[in-house]
Amino acid sequence: MKKKANERLRKKEIKDVLEKLEKIYPEAVSELVYQTPFQLLISTILAAQCTDVRVNQVTKKLYQHYNTPQDFLKLSEEELGEWIHSCGFYKTKAKNILNTCRILVEKYGGEVPQRREELVELPGVGRKTANVVISNAFGKPAIAVDTHVFRVSNRIGLAHSDNVEDTEEQLMNNIPKTQWSDAHHWLIYHGRRICKARKPLCEQCPLREECLYYKELTKKS
DNA sequence: AACTCGGGGCA
DNA sequence: TGCCCAGAGTT
């Protein structure tokens, strides 16, 4: 795939953007605080097309009773569906979670595998969820590209691509490894608060100076 | 590439 | 009321 280098930021601009993001969102740690890889896995499955706040509300109670795949397998699909009802897509998610738990028990001794090829084989686990587990639960190199990370990084110019995998690769090339985890959270925060999908608040965005999207925007008008 | 799953919060 | 949300699976 051809990549137009001139539509991405230069090194210095990338450095400036990262410094600004760090300054803007110093508190940008995930509000989803988890104790185990299994909990993170389940929470991330639940987070599909659902706000993290609601996932937290649900899992806070859920994890008081069920903490392992073996625990979850005591639940029927209907029972789990009631627990996670407010997260949306609850039937699909309940079925996928229980099937994932069965695989974890039967194939991995109740543990969460650490390799992406193994993770994406689990029902309900795609590339994004796998990367969240890899990076956040196991501290291994990966950047999870969700809709916010994808949109924001491609707007600013931290990446320039129309697909997730290239964006992921470019982000890992452009961002120092020590900041991968933080940058993931910064971009999500920024996407939620300012660089919104529909009506981005460019006029109050601190990254205007470097942002290629804003540059393009102001060029037209 | 388009379609489906979906309840709940908010303007 | 209508729009949107830390995606993934199927056709």
Side-chain angles (χ1 to χ4, degrees), chain A residues 11-201:
Chain A
K11 253 185 185 174
K12 185 191 180 308
E13 295 165 330
I14 290 175
K15 194 183 171 198
D16 290 344
V17 166
L18 293 175
E19 281 178 3
K20 285 187 180 180
L21 283 170
E22 181 170 24
K23 199 172 295 179
I24 306 166
Y25 306 114
E27 81 288 5
V29 286
S30 177
E31 292 171 19
L32 304 171
V33 178
Y34 306 103
Q35 299 179 342
T36 70
F38 175 73
Q39 290 174 334
L40 179 59
L41 174 65
I42 300 304
S43 301
T44 309
I45 292 175
L46 288 177
Q49 295 297 290
C50 173
T51 62
D52 57 336
V53 176
R54 193 171 299 134
V55 173
N56 260 334
Q57 291 171 347
V58 167
T59 54
K60 189 176 178 184
K61 296 179 192 167
L62 180 60
Y63 293 161
Q64 288 177 7
H65 304 270
Y66 307 94
N67 268 308
T68 67
Q70 290 86 347
D71 290 340
F72 272 67
L73 288 174
K74 296 174 192 165
L75 293 166
S76 68
E77 262 184 51
E78 290 72 23
E79 289 169 331
L80 181 55
E82 285 182 31
W83 273 102
I84 66 175
H85 187 263
S86 67
C87 292
F89 301 149
Y90 61 95
K91 289 179 184 173
T92 306
K93 287 176 180 175
K95 185 195 293 184
N96 283 340
I97 287 172
L98 290 182
N99 282 332
T100 283
C101 287
R102 286 187 193 101
I103 296 176
L104 292 184
V105 169
E106 292 168 8
K107 195 170 173 184
Y108 299 105
E111 300 294 313
V112 179
Q114 304 197 16
R115 296 173 51 236
R116 175 158 34 228
E117 307 87 78
E118 295 171 325
L119 285 165
V120 295
E121 287 299 313
L122 301 170
V125 179
R127 189 181 183 87
K128 183 258 174 177
T129 300
N131 279 347
V132 168
V133 172
I134 290 170
S135 57
N136 290 358
F138 297 126
K140 290 188 166 185
I143 294 183
V145 176
D146 58 34
T147 55
H148 295 303
V149 174
F150 182 82
R151 180 184 67 255
V152 175
S153 57
N154 278 294
R155 272 185 183 165
I156 297 175
L158 290 177
H160 180 251
S161 167
D162 57 357
N163 71 75
V164 169
E165 290 190 27
D166 281 342
T167 298
E168 195 180 305
E169 183 188 338
Q170 291 172 21
L171 287 178
M172 289 194 290
N173 287 331
N174 290 338
I175 301 173
K177 188 180 284 191
T178 52
Q179 301 192 72
W180 284 2
S181 174
D182 288 335
H184 169 77
H185 294 302
W186 294 336
L187 293 172
I188 290 175
Y189 267 57
H190 194 60
R192 293 269 348 198
R193 290 165 170 68
I194 295 178
C195 196
K196 302 193 287 186
R198 288 300 158 83
K199 298 176 180 175
L201 308 177

